[in-house]
């Protein structure tokens, strides 16, 4: 029958030659290959001291952003929670009081904002949904912990530090 | 008996024992480092500068581990096994000449624990005994994997001892003596036995790999087939003893190879050094040279481990009985003929 493709390759196993059978030439060849690796640069990254550079579209821990005056951008619209496929985000909205104008940008803000890091799949949909550019997944890897309750990150861990401490 | 003689020998034994334990200890570290470098990694580097305290940490870990003796194990033999492995590994160093005699004033101190006139035979006896530690441990564990491994170890060691003995016979035809001290002295000034017995040396080193259960002949402890091999049931420092014994065996066989084939403590230009350095320092330089040779062999052991895959059991037996043994016999015959011809003319 005519073959459908010309990819077929007939393998011919020749009997080993004498040089191959005494095994020592192959052995020295192998040894020279391994010793050449002895002098090569290590691929190891000493993790806690040195960190691997992440790709530009890397998504890590969330951070809630502030604007240029140091006020929280989040207005507790809930679009991030709605867009979240893992239902990891919850929030409670509150109304801004007149004296809190330097803390929150809009009249409405999130008094409680929680992300369950065990539920989160780091898809980045919250980041895309946010109309106020308030949430970004630009942090490091979420650290490990012992208790499930400790993986629910509140505003204390999520809101980024103000640029200038007053 | 002279009391200074007793003290001198006691100190020598203690020093050699300490050194072999220290080298075995740092061989575990070197093994991991060499493995890492050969695989483009870094290896242990956290405990102390460049990980120098890693062996101490490992040893401490071994001591702190819970000790488990299986219920149906033969308790007495289970405990004897590791001890025997350790003992047979350590006593091999007794006949190796670590350096030419040191002369202090009128006193000559030999750097060899005992120069028995059948040194090579003694080494062989010890090497043959070393299989008992593995055998007893594997049998007493009352575990099928351990038993299978012990059987493998026994058959492997017995098979390779044959070829090893035959390769030594060819060497003895050249040296005409069994005393390791005399064998080393004969190799003075580039008369290294490896130049007279290259085939014998290759046979010997292959057999040494098999006798020490090192890769590629580490069938008795191949994890993929036998879990841990003969030490599957062992824990705590008993396991540590088995692992340690392997490294001491490696050290001793490296020392034996350096002594028998690579001139022991001889090095080029040692006569000149002896006139310059004096009768105390010069032998110690020789000792350093011997250790350099030993370390080179230990490195070779590790280098080979990360190069050659493990042999299959039937390949092992094929190599031992059908390749090495005929080759060794041919080597003996050819060596004998050549020596007879050389002596005749």
């Amino acid at each position: 029958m005519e073959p459908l493709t010309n990819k077929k390759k007939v393998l011919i196993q020749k009997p080993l030659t004498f040089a191959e059978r005494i095994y020592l030439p192959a052995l020295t060849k192998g040894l020279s290959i391994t010793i050449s690796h002895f002098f090569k640069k290590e691929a190891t990254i000493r993790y806690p001291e040195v960190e691997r550079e992440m790709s530009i579209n890397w998504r890590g821990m969330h951070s809630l952003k502030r604007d240029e005056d140091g006020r929280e951008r989040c207005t507790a619209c809930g679009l991030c929670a709605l867009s979240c496929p893992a239902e990891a985000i919850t929030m409670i909205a509150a109304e801004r009081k007149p004296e809190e104008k330097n803390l929150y940008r809009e009249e409405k803000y999130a008094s409680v904002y929680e992300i369950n890091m065990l539920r989160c799949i780091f898809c980045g949909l919250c980041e895309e949904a946010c109309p106020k550019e308030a949430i970004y997944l630009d942090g490091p890897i979420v650290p490990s912990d012992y208790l499930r309750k400790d993986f629910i990150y509140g505003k204390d861990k999520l809101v980024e530090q103000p640029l200038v401490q007053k | 008996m002279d009391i200074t003689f007793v003290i001198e020998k006691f100190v020598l034994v203690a020093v050699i024992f300490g050194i072999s334990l220290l080298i075995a200890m740092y061989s575990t570290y070197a093994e991991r480092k060499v493995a890492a470098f050969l695989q483009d990694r870094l290896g242990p580097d956290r405990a102390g500068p460049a990980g120098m305290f890693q062996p101490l940490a490992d040893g401490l870990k071994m001591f702190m581990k819970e000790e488990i003796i299986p219920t149906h194990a033969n308790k007495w033999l289970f405990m004897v096994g590791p001890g025997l492995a350790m003992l047979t590994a350590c006593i091999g160093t007794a006949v190796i000449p670590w350096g030419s005699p040191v002369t202090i004033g009128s006193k000559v101190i030999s750097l060899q624990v005992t120069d028995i006139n059948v040194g090579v035979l003694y080494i062989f006896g010890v090497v043959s005994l070393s299989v008992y530690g593995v055998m007893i441990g594997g049998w007493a564990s009352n575990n099928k994997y351990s038993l299978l491994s012990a059987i493998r170890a026994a058959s492997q060691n017995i098979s390779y001892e044959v070829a090893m003995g035959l390769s030594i016979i060819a060497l003895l035809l050249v040296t005409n003596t069994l005393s390791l001290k005399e064998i080393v002295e004969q190799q003075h000034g580039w008369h290294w036995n490896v130049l007279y017995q290259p085939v014998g040396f290759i046979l010997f080193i292959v057999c040494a790999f098999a006798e020490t259960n090192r890769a590629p002949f580490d069938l008795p402890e191949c994890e993929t087939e036998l879990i841990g091999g003969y030490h599957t049931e062992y824990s705590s420092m008993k396991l540590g003893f088995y692992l340690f014994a392997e490294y001491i065996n490696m050290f001793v066989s490296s020392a034996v190879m350096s002594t028998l084939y690579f001139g022991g403590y001889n090095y080029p230009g040692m006569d000149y050094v002896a006139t310059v350095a004096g009768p105390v320092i010069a032998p110690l330089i020789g000792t350093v040279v011997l250790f350099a040779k030993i370390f080179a062999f230990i490195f070779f052991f590790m280098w080979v481990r990360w190069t050659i895959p493990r042999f299959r059991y039937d390949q092992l037996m094929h190599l031992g009985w059908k390749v090495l043994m005929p080759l060794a016999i041919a080597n003996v015959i050819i060596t004998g003929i050549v020596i007879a011809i050389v002596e005749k003319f």
Side-chain angles (χ1 to χ4, degrees):
Chain A
M1 204 176 76
E2 193 72 11
L4 290 171
T5 62
N6 57 353
K7 284 179 185 170
K8 188 179 165 190
K9 231 181 187 176
V10 181
L11 186 73
I12 305 156
Q13 275 195 318
K14 288 182 212 137
L16 296 178
T17 61
F18 179 72
E20 282 167 336
R21 269 192 294 131
I22 59 169
Y23 197 60
L24 289 175
L27 198 84
T28 47
K29 200 176 158 194
L31 286 172
S32 64
I33 289 171
T34 43
I35 202 70
S36 75
H37 279 266
F38 195 85
F39 302 105
K40 276 192 184 152
K41 201 181 168 295
E42 298 84 16
T44 312
I45 294 171
R46 297 161 186 260
Y47 169 59
E49 293 98 48
V50 187
E51 275 186 45
R52 188 190 295 274
E53 209 173 292
M54 295 301 183
S55 71
I56 46 164
N57 55 353
W58 152 259
R59 293 192 293 265
M61 204 174 102
H62 316 64
S63 69
L64 291 173
K65 298 290 175 192
R66 292 173 188 273
D67 68 359
E68 51 277 8
D69 299 327
R71 300 175 298 184
E72 285 178 23
R73 302 182 78 109
C74 178
T75 176
C77 63
L79 281 176
C80 50
L82 199 67
S83 72
C84 183
E87 300 186 351
I89 305 177
T90 56
M91 69 187 73
I92 296 170
E95 198 177 336
R96 181 184 70 180
K97 294 190 178 66
E99 68 271 19
E100 291 176 335
K101 260 191 178 166
N102 61 333
L103 292 178
Y104 311 109
R105 197 168 64 162
E106 319 273 339
E107 289 99 65
K108 193 176 146 216
Y109 72 97
S111 62
V112 176
Y113 192 103
E114 284 179 346
I115 299 177
N116 188 337
M117 290 298 175
L118 291 177
R119 299 202 66 140
C120 178
I121 57 170
F122 301 93
C123 61
L125 284 182
C126 47
E127 181 179 279
E128 277 178 42
C130 186
K132 299 287 181 188
E133 298 185 339
I135 188 165
Y136 281 98
L137 279 75
D138 55 358
I141 298 170
V142 175
S144 57
D145 217 325
Y146 291 102
L147 297 171
R148 282 173 180 274
K149 69 174 175 61
D150 293 334
F151 281 100
I152 299 169
Y153 282 23
K155 277 180 83 175
D156 53 325
K157 285 182 180 166
L158 292 172
V159 178
E160 68 170 3
Q161 296 300 312
L163 281 177
V164 197
Q165 297 277 345
K166 280 170 189 169
Chain B
M1 202 192 289
D2 194 2
I3 189 75
T4 52
F5 176 79
V6 175
I7 293 171
E8 177 195 311
K9 287 297 176 195
F10 187 79
V11 168
L12 190 64
V13 168
V15 167
I16 289 170
F17 184 63
I19 286 177
S20 37
L21 289 191
L22 191 76
I23 286 177
M25 208 165 105
Y26 273 91
S27 294
T28 64
Y29 167 76
E31 173 104 91
R32 294 171 66 180
K33 271 290 189 196
V34 169
F37 284 141
L38 290 177
Q39 297 167 358
D40 299 344
R41 294 187 287 116
L42 274 174
D45 69 337
R46 296 285 146 161
M52 285 305 282
F53 301 142
Q54 189 67 41
L56 298 174
D58 287 342
L60 190 69
K61 186 201 81 173
M62 283 289 186
F63 273 113
M64 305 297 266
K65 287 273 177 185
E66 184 192 358
E67 179 141 7
I68 298 165
I69 297 178
T71 331
H72 294 287
N74 186 324
K75 223 174 194 173
W76 166 241
L77 288 180
F78 192 78
M79 288 192 282
V80 166
L84 203 60
M86 198 72 171
L87 178 78
T88 50
C90 285
I91 56 178
T93 52
V95 290
I96 290 167
W98 299 102
S100 44
V102 178
T103 319
I104 302 172
S106 60
K107 189 149 177 56
V108 177
I109 300 168
S110 165
L111 290 183
Q112 186 182 16
V113 176
T114 173
D115 177 32
I116 46 179
N117 56 9
V118 288
V120 177
L121 278 185
Y122 172 85
I123 294 271
F124 254 80
V126 172
V127 165
S128 314
L129 273 179
S130 72
V131 75
Y132 280 96
V134 174
M135 274 285 278
I136 287 173
W139 185 81
S141 297
N142 196 16
N143 174 322
K144 288 190 179 65
Y145 288 115
S146 302
L147 185 63
L148 274 173
S149 157
I151 292 168
R152 275 188 182 189
S155 56
Q156 175 181 327
N157 278 29
I158 289 165
S159 312
Y160 278 75
E161 252 159 43
V162 178
M164 198 184 217
L166 285 168
S167 70
I168 284 290
I169 288 176
L171 179 75
L172 296 180
L173 288 175
V174 176
T175 61
N176 277 324
T177 173
L178 284 162
S179 159
L180 285 172
K181 190 178 166 216
E182 283 172 39
I183 288 176
V184 172
E185 278 165 1
Q186 282 172 2
Q187 298 180 66
H188 183 71
W190 278 121
H191 293 294
W192 290 8
N193 282 330
V194 68
L195 303 174
Y196 300 102
Q197 281 292 319
V199 179
F201 171 68
I202 290 169
L203 292 171
F204 191 89
I205 196 168
V206 171
C207 295
F209 272 85
E211 293 286 320
T212 49
N213 293 336
R214 288 286 302 184
F217 305 113
D218 55 347
L219 291 114
E221 43 198 303
C222 69
E223 312 79 7
T224 42
E225 295 161 30
L226 295 170
I227 311 181
Y230 54 87
H231 48 59
T232 303
E233 297 286 352
Y234 280 90
S235 53
S236 183
M237 206 53 206
K238 289 205 189 77
L239 172 67
F241 264 33
Y242 269 127
L243 303 182
F244 219 66
E246 184 188 319
Y247 286 99
I248 299 178
N249 273 329
M250 207 161 93
F251 167 63
V252 173
S253 56
S254 298
V256 169
M257 276 189 284
S258 318
T259 308
L260 289 181
Y261 288 98
F262 276 80
Y265 51 77
N266 291 303
Y267 55 97
M270 68 182 294
D271 290 327
Y272 171 73
V273 173
T275 55
V276 177
V280 181
I281 304 297
L284 295 180
I285 294 174
T287 310
V288 171
V289 169
L290 174 61
F291 273 97
K293 288 173 186 172
I294 290 171
F295 292 149
F297 272 114
I298 290 177
F299 177 77
F300 186 70
F301 268 93
M302 291 167 182
W303 181 12
V304 166
R305 174 169 178 183
W306 303 106
T307 303
I308 310 170
R310 185 182 294 129
F311 276 67
R312 223 166 46 217
Y313 190 68
D314 63 309
Q315 290 172 329
L316 176 90
M317 285 298 148
H318 177 268
L319 181 69
W321 289 106
K322 288 177 160 178
V323 179
L324 293 185
M325 204 170 85
L327 210 59
I329 293 172
N331 189 34
V332 171
I333 293 169
I334 292 168
T335 309
I337 292 171
V338 169
I339 287 174
I341 291 169
V342 168
E343 277 177 1
K344 198 97 181 168
F345 302 104

